Amino acid sequence: MDPKEGGVCQAVRTIIAGLTTRNIYSEVVSLDNAESFFFKADQFTVHALGRGKGPWRYNKRLTPWFVTNLSYFDKVIVHGLWTYMGFSLQKAIKALSSRKEEKIPKVFVMPHGMLDPYFQRAAGRKLKALRNVFYWKFIEHKLINSADGILFTCEEEAALAKLPFKPYQPKKTYITGLGVEHPPAYVDEMRIEFESRCPQLDHAPYLLFLSRINEKKGVDLLLDAYLSIVESVEGNPSSGLAGLLPKLVIAGPDLESEFGKKIQSQVDGHHLLRKSVIFTGMLSGLSKWGAFYGCEAFILPSHQENFGIAVVEALGCAKPVLISNQVNIWREINEDGGCYVFNNTIDGTRKLLESWGQSSYKTKKMMSKNAFYSFTKNFSTIPATARFVDAISNQN
């Protein structure tokens, strides 16, 4: 449930908030330490059993907890794949099945993009991809194919999930979407908090990248494409590209990772990037919303994005989004006119930047309106919660 781990934990919190409005009570069991700071603001019950060991997140307390507590619940939602959590749940259900008096709840799985073929094809993941093949064959297919339903966040995710593994034979699949709560209304404190994190911006216009500093997110593509444009301007001021680009703010955790250090070195090593690219580290609360509300547009040229909560948060702030066609919700946003979308390549990312920079003031204002319209129509919590409840309630 640590926000630094990515969007799944935020999805869990948003889903629970929506279910609470429908008088549906939720509890969470997680493999985190009970004293973790990120639980302090949660209004729901969390059973934190302690950190799991290794990449599988093994925890000997988990299966006994399931055996003791599962019968108290009507539905169980497994969020994510490839960890001990799903295997442990299967073990517990098998143990409970031998006790005729025990009620076994309906089980649903929400993969959150973890069946995307990208993870089997990406360079640098050959060993992990091979591990997944064996894990699927002996363990994970049992969870997917025995669950009462698989819950997908969009049509694209459901289509991609059919590709990488066999046998893939879920009983039922549902497109529930994923709601995101309306951003808080803008207040000046948001701008003040954000500016305190990057005073070197000095009130200049900027594009916002807000995500983990990870190769999957395409931040290296973004820097290469951005640099190619600023170098063109430097070498040929009359090229028509002058004044095209605002500054670039890169916000997110993992700057201390090997990839994060590489990205920072790339910026530090080029005088044109040093003048225009600002790293803020992870933003949250007022500073995060200040970054969203203050930007011209949000950019994420990701190689794989199952949903993209930050993309939707930007839409909720009426900000156009510049995204790759590997962000699975691009079709919904594009249909409403709230984005520019191109391939997840350097050339595609350059086209994102150029398209925005060459857009007229009138076009940008219209895209802002369309962005907010797309948020309310497709991604706010009310319609998403309704779809989620319908899916888990269609089981007798």
Side-chain angles (χ1 to χ4, degrees), residues 84-129:
Y84 182 65
M85 184 71 71
F87 177 73
S88 176
L89 178 64
Q90 293 177 73
K91 282 179 61 180
I93 289 175
K94 184 176 181 180
L96 289 173
S97 296
S98 63
R99 306 178 188 177
K100 294 183 179 181
E101 72 280 2
E102 291 282 1
K103 180 193 77 173
I104 299 177
K106 298 293 184 180
V107 174
F108 298 84
V109 179
M110 200 163 191
H112 293 282
M114 296 182 190
L115 290 176
D116 194 300
Y118 164 83
F119 296 106
Q120 295 303 103
R121 301 171 182 167
R125 287 187 54 90
K126 290 184 179 179
L127 287 178
K128 290 182 179 179

Side-chain angles (χ1 to χ4, degrees), residues 294-349:
C295 71
E296 284 194 1
F298 177 85
I299 186 164
L300 184 66
S302 186
H303 294 295
Q304 191 278 330
E305 203 71 35
N306 178 57
F307 184 77
I309 289 178
V311 174
V312 176
E313 288 177 331
L315 297 175
C317 295
K319 297 299 176 179
V321 295
L322 317 178
I323 54 178
S324 76
N325 57 8
Q326 301 305 303
V327 176
N328 283 349
I329 57 174
W330 73 266
R331 288 183 175 86
E332 290 89 335
I333 307 170
N334 192 51
E335 181 180 308
D336 297 326
C339 70
Y340 286 127
V341 55
F342 287 100
N343 292 335
N344 58 319
T345 61
I346 294 175
D347 182 61
T349 307

